[in-house]
Amino acid sequence: MILPCLSRISGLIFTEFTRVDEISGACNSNQLCIATRKHIRSVQRMAEQVHRHGARIFVQLHHGGQSPRPR
């Protein structure tokens, strides 16, 4: 598991581009999403794990625009 060594190797972790709209915001089928409470809870758990090991995390918000690729 990589988490125990986070504080030694990283001060700040950036997530991949994270969509904010579940229906029209996707540009990638595996893209992170924070459009609903369910998604937010999952990302919150990830952030808590990162913080527990002394590192920081930054969520890069993204919307695919008017014509994102279909999921």
Side-chain angles (χ1 to χ4, degrees), residues 27-55:
C27 285
N28 184 308
S29 61
N30 295 323
Q31 187 174 357
L32 285 176
C33 182
I34 57 168
T36 68
R37 289 181 192 266
K38 178 180 111 179
H39 297 129
I40 292 169
R41 282 192 301 269
S42 296
V43 172
Q44 182 178 12
R45 284 194 306 271
M46 177 176 60
E48 288 168 354
Q49 285 290 321
V50 169
H51 292 159
R52 189 172 294 125
H53 292 283

Side-chain angles (χ1 to χ4, degrees), residues 4-66:
C5 64
L6 283 177
S7 61
R8 293 184 301 227
I9 62 171
S10 178
L12 179 62
I13 296 170
F14 286 81
T15 66
E16 62 183 21
F17 62 127
T18 305
R19 60 190 164 125
V20 295
D21 186 307
E22 189 170 26
I23 297 168
S24 67
C27 285
N28 184 308
S29 61
N30 295 323
Q31 187 174 357
L32 285 176
C33 182
I34 57 168
T36 68
R37 289 181 192 266
K38 178 180 111 179
H39 297 129
I40 292 169
R41 282 192 301 269
S42 296
V43 172
Q44 182 178 12
R45 284 194 306 271
M46 177 176 60
E48 288 168 354
Q49 285 290 321
V50 169
H51 292 159
R52 189 172 294 125
H53 292 283
R56 305 266 184 207
I57 190 164
F58 178 86
V59 175
Q60 179 186 358
L61 300 179
H62 175 265
H63 189 281
Q66 291 182 347

